Amino acid sequence: MKPLSGIKVLELARILAGPWAGQVLADLGAEVIKVERPGEGDDTRGWGPPFVHDTDGSVWGAAYFHATNRGKSSVCLDMATPEGQGAIKRLVSDADVVIENFKVGGLKKYGLDYDSLKAINPRLVYVSITGFGQDGPYAHRAGYDYIIQGLSGLMDITGEPHREPQKVGVAVVDLFTGVYASTAILAALRQRDMTGEGSHIDMALMDCAVAMLANQAMNYLTSGISPSRLGNAHPNIAPYQVFQVKDGHVIVAVGNDHQFRRFCQVLEADYVAENPTWQTNAGRVASRVQLEAALQPLMMMHTRAELLAKLEAAGVPAGPINRIGDVFNDPQVIHRGMRLELGAVSGVASPIVINGARMVADGPSPKLGEGKAEWHD
């Protein structure tokens, strides 16, 4: 039995952050019922190509949709109608969790806001995911991952120093918000076990993006200096970056002074390790440009495979830069079972393993309206 068996979740959410939280819960064993617009469903069903096809050749929605809706049921309800509202309230009556990502106050006119549903089910854990939270000067704004990557400062520390700021290659703020939301849901369910009452969880993409700044935020708060883009270098450690070799690139992640000395030994460059300026991490960070200039010609004397083998033998953290196609052919990824085959749908497994069992929902994403007949209007 999975940890969340018996937990019922009603997902009034679409796109990514809310559905990602729902998928985490589904992988952990919760029953997740996704409420979708009749005829259209979640916007991401059409966010292709590429599209997933069923065994009969029919289109089963975009790959994007399948990335975040595994293990759920689908019910088509028009919440703008009394019939749809009534059906949702019936589902809420014995639900444990509701996840919604409408604009602040957007569900109140339908009688589907927290206060209205709490009156039906006082034990309900109700999660509101918005761009900026339930209050504040930006609360009325719509939340888009891309915009918030820029607004939060994340893009200003991503990319090459003398080129334009870059977003991360996936909607990382949405994903982090979904993970934070699922953590908050589990905490609220635990609290309910103790108090008997539910909660209203207020999750904001902007809050999560600022929290994600982690050490870069602390660098600013400690020094008063805004961090700048360093490309593939690390603001607090050196050498911790990408280097070019004869036939490509490698990542070297030297985490301490001992590793640095071993790194230099592999490169047959003890004179670099013995330079007084570079014997401590602080000195290497302060003169990272000069250090890179000394190391890069030495790196070019090696092929990728040869150098990575030597660094691994020496206990120096290093690795290749794979394409996504390489990732799913990697022996470690294959061994860990990170590629799923759920009927006609390929997918990526949950990273959660409990007592040796990977927490993955039993079925693929639902077809539109593929839920129990009694759930409909």
Side-chain angles (χ1 to χ4, degrees):
M1 180 178 293
K2 290 185 179 178
L4 296 185
S5 294
I7 295 295
K8 178 178 174 180
V9 179
L10 194 62
E11 185 182 290
L12 309 180
R14 64 274 193 220
I15 315 298
L16 187 51
W20 195 259
Q23 181 169 267
V24 171
L25 302 180
D27 282 335
L28 290 169
E31 176 188 19
V32 180
I33 303 168
K34 184 178 184 69
V35 176
E36 302 189 71
R37 290 183 309 242
E40 299 177 353
D42 191 309
D43 292 340
T44 60
R45 286 186 181 272
W47 282 14
F51 292 94
V52 171
H53 293 81
D54 201 353
T55 51
D56 63 1
S58 61
V59 174
W60 192 346
Y64 193 116
F65 174 80
H66 288 274
T68 188
N69 288 290
R70 178 176 57 246
K72 303 175 187 178
S73 301
S74 170
V75 58
C76 293
L77 296 171
D78 184 352
M79 62 182 62
T81 66
E83 294 77 16
Q85 294 160 19
I88 291 171
K89 289 175 180 177
R90 289 193 297 274
L91 289 169
V92 165
S93 65
D94 65 346
D96 298 284
V97 179
V98 166
I99 303 172
E100 62 92 2
N101 63 349
F102 285 76
K103 289 183 180 179
V104 173
L107 290 179
K108 189 170 185 177
K109 61 185 175 182
Y110 303 133
L112 301 176
D113 57 303
Y114 173 63
D115 289 335
S116 298
L117 297 187
K118 179 185 177 182
I120 297 171
N121 181 356
R123 292 174 53 81
L124 188 66
V125 173
Y126 187 104
V127 188
S128 296
I129 298 177
T130 58
F132 299 95
Q134 297 296 301
D135 49 35
Y138 299 167
H140 65 283
R141 295 185 184 179
Y144 294 93
D145 175 280
Y146 197 170
I147 302 299
I148 291 174
Q149 283 199 42
L151 192 59
S152 67
L154 182 60
M155 284 179 63
D156 191 54
I157 57 172
T158 305
E160 296 294 331
H162 304 298
R163 303 188 69 178
E164 67 180 18
Q166 292 288 311
K167 68 178 179 66
V168 180
V170 294
V172 66
V173 178
D174 275 332
L175 298 177
F176 262 75
T177 302
V179 173
Y180 272 121
S182 62
T183 303
I185 289 165
L186 298 179
L189 289 173
R190 176 69 181 103
Q191 183 180 53
R192 190 186 70 175
D193 290 341
M194 296 183 287
T195 67
E197 295 190 4
S199 306
H200 185 196
I201 297 171
D202 173 7
M203 295 298 311
L205 271 67
M206 184 66 172
D207 292 356
C208 293
V210 174
M212 287 164 53
L213 295 176
N215 60 298
Q216 290 282 46
M218 286 304 300
N219 290 344
Y220 166 72
L221 294 172
T222 301
S223 69
I225 301 171
S226 289
S228 57
R229 290 187 296 286
L230 293 173
N232 288 313
H234 194 289
N236 301 107
I237 314 172
Y240 200 100
Q241 63 194 85
V242 171
F243 286 100
Q244 187 174 359
V245 293
K246 280 184 179 179
D247 56 349
H249 295 84
V250 298
I251 300 167
V252 175
V254 169
N256 57 52
D257 298 337
H258 297 295
Q259 289 177 357
F260 180 65
R261 286 193 289 273
R262 294 199 297 271
F263 176 46
C264 292
Q265 288 169 1
V266 168
L267 298 179
E268 299 181 356
D270 288 342
Y271 63 93
V272 175
E274 292 165 2
N275 185 315
T277 301
W278 297 331
Q279 289 181 0
T280 66
N281 179 68
R284 294 193 294 273
V285 170
S287 58
R288 67 168 72 245
V289 174
Q290 293 84 354
L291 178 62
E292 181 178 358
L295 293 173
Q296 182 57 75
L298 301 172
M299 301 292 284
M300 288 296 294
M301 298 169 65
H302 302 268
T303 65
R304 189 173 85 159
E306 168 216 345
L307 182 60
L308 289 176
K310 288 181 177 179
L311 291 174
E312 182 173 4
V316 178
I321 300 174
N322 285 335
R323 302 195 68 178
I324 290 179
D326 300 326
V327 172
F328 288 100
N329 289 307
D330 185 281
Q332 181 67 20
V333 174
I334 293 170
H335 175 82
R336 295 287 289 180
M338 287 303 297
R339 177 168 178 162
L340 286 177
E341 299 296 340
L342 296 171
V345 183
S346 298
V348 183
S350 163
I352 302 172
V353 177
I354 300 177
N355 292 331
R358 191 167 294 280
M359 296 292 105
V360 179
D362 296 330
S365 303
K367 295 178 181 178
L368 185 61
E370 189 179 47
K372 297 178 182 178
E374 61 266 27
W375 293 345
H376 295 261
D377 294 354

